[in-house]
Amino acid sequence: MSIHLAIVTPCYNEEKSIIPFLQSLEKNLAPTGQSFSIIVVDDCSQDDTPTLLSSFRFSSLLLTLQVLRLKFNMGHQSAIYQGLLFAHEINSDFVIVMDSDGEDDPRAIPSILQHQKFDIVEVRRGRRSESLSFRFLYKVYKMIFHFITGKSMNYGNYCMINKSILERITFTAFIHFPAYLLKQKATKTYLLFDRGKRIEGKSKMGLQGLLIHSFKSFVEFGEDLLMLFLKIFVVIVMVILVLFADILYQKLIAHTAILGWTSTLLLGLFTIAILCIGFFVTGILLLNLIHQQNNKSQKDLYSIIKK
């Protein structure tokens, strides 16, 4: 019984790297002897990326190129989602998701394919080459993420998922693909592979992009965030009650109260508690609501320009 393998890779303005990337894919996939559908999701590029993709042909008959062009720029994660919808449509049994800039090294794919008994195969990056500030902030983000969720974020988009996970995605969608996979109850394993060298240009993930990307991962764990800030709220309320009891004791029994300071402190703590619980609960609930509404209208937002 044949197994249908697909690779989903988003791209945006990659005119200098998309062809070398596809050639590198072919070099590493052809020796496996297996057939692949390469699904490139063009996130409405404004350079020559669409033209280059339209004219490209693989030398190997084992590889077929299918190009989806999004109707408007949707962002990296949404581009992955559209590619996965198409992979489900063509009845893929296993899907590898990877970036097209060369940093997700295609040389890891033969090793990934050896773990098809797992639902999710993560490719964790070993040696990294970002700036010191970026690596520092990324470590801080991972520490905060682990504190809030109790889980470790050790990989990016590079992974392989099987048909059952692909099926879940079509019904539930995601706003942050790695975080979505992290919370799935499924059999998992991982490979450690050094980050590849970017084919051309600088990474589009700057410090601002990292912050936005990080916040989206927290949205996937909205329930955990709600519980965390509920606990913070409860702790602050308990502190307020203790301080209030101390005020009553100082004024009514000990007669040693220092006028003003406790009331000011209580007011400040109460204000912090209200802002904390109100801002984060409302924010997370609204984001989840918007995300769910968007999921209902996210299908068929691409046109097939090459099949």
Side-chain angles (χ1 to χ4, degrees):
M1 184 176 180
S2 61
I3 297 175
H4 187 268
L5 300 168
I7 293 179
V8 170
T9 180
C11 71
Y12 175 69
N13 289 348
E14 297 286 358
E15 63 180 3
K16 294 183 179 180
S17 60
I18 191 61
I19 300 304
F21 167 74
L22 293 174
Q23 291 171 340
S24 177
L25 265 186
E26 182 172 19
K27 177 182 177 181
N28 288 276
L29 296 182
T32 66
Q34 300 190 60
S35 299
F36 289 86
S37 292
I38 311 301
I39 305 169
V40 179
V41 186
D42 175 27
D43 194 13
C44 203
S45 294
Q46 302 303 304
D47 60 3
D48 285 336
T49 299
T51 303
L52 292 171
L53 288 171
S54 296
S55 60
F56 181 80
R57 297 289 184 275
F58 285 116
S59 300
S60 173
L61 298 178
L62 295 173
L63 277 63
T64 58
L65 178 62
Q66 308 195 68
V67 181
L68 314 180
R69 180 168 173 82
L70 301 187
K71 296 180 179 179
F72 53 89
N73 183 265
M74 299 178 63
H76 191 261
Q77 297 295 299
S78 293
I80 291 175
Y81 178 63
Q82 293 299 319
L84 291 174
L85 288 180
F86 184 77
H88 179 262
E89 183 179 325
I90 62 177
N91 202 29
S92 300
D93 296 296
F94 292 91
V95 182
I96 295 174
V97 177
M98 62 189 303
D99 293 339
S100 59
D101 55 14
E103 293 184 351
D104 291 341
D105 199 327
R107 290 179 297 177
I109 295 178
S111 298
I112 296 173
L113 296 175
Q114 296 176 13
H115 297 82
Q116 295 180 9
K117 64 180 180 179
F118 293 94
D119 297 321
I120 301 172
V121 182
E122 309 163 0
V123 182
R124 301 180 183 178
R125 287 177 174 174
R127 186 176 64 249
R128 307 183 69 94
S129 58
E130 296 99 339
S131 66
L132 182 61
S133 58
F134 186 94
R135 283 181 287 173
F136 173 74
L137 288 177
Y138 190 67
K139 287 185 178 180
V140 171
Y141 153 65
K142 292 201 296 184
M143 291 173 60
I144 296 173
F145 186 88
H146 185 267
F147 174 74
I148 292 176
T149 67
K151 300 180 181 294
S152 298
M153 179 64 72
N154 293 319
Y155 67 102
N157 300 304
Y158 200 6
C159 66
M160 182 175 73
I161 60 175
N162 67 7
K163 198 168 187 174
S164 65
I165 301 298
L166 184 61
E167 188 79 16
R168 295 183 205 179
I169 289 173
T170 61
F171 286 103
T172 57
F174 55 81
I175 192 171
H176 188 281
F177 184 53
Y180 175 88
L181 294 181
L182 194 58
K183 69 179 183 180
Q184 297 303 308
K185 295 180 179 179
T187 58
K188 302 177 183 180
T189 189
Y190 72 91
L191 303 175
L192 191 64
F193 220 86
D194 287 343
R195 180 175 183 169
K197 183 179 180 181
R198 186 175 177 84
I199 298 173
E200 186 70 31
K202 296 181 179 180
S203 173
K204 298 180 178 68
M205 177 67 79
L207 296 181
Q208 180 178 348
L210 176 61
L211 290 174
I212 295 174
H213 191 67
S214 303
F215 187 71
K216 287 181 177 180
S217 71
F218 293 131
V219 173
E220 290 288 352
F221 284 85
E223 297 86 355
D224 299 81
L225 272 174
L226 290 177
M227 290 305 301
L228 174 64
F229 289 106
L230 180 60
K231 291 176 182 177
I232 293 175
F233 177 75
V234 170
V235 169
I236 293 177
V237 169
M238 292 178 64
V239 171
I240 290 174
L241 291 176
V242 170
L243 289 175
F244 183 72
D246 182 64
I247 290 175
L248 293 179
Y249 172 79
Q250 295 288 345
K251 288 187 176 181
L252 301 179
I253 300 177
H255 303 289
T256 57
I258 300 175
L259 297 177
W261 74 271
T262 49
S263 299
T264 302
L265 181 60
L266 276 173
L267 180 61
L269 288 172
F270 181 74
T271 302
I272 292 173
I274 294 299
L275 289 175
C276 177
I277 199 71
F279 175 77
F280 284 100
V281 170
T282 303
I284 295 300
L285 289 177
L286 283 176
L287 282 172
N288 276 318
L289 179 61
I290 293 171
H291 176 50
Q292 291 172 6
Q293 290 176 339
N294 287 341
N295 291 343
K296 297 177 181 179
S297 59
Q298 276 189 356
K299 296 185 177 181
D300 301 323
L301 293 179
Y302 56 79
S303 57
I304 304 174
I305 63 175
K306 186 173 184 179
K307 185 174 180 181

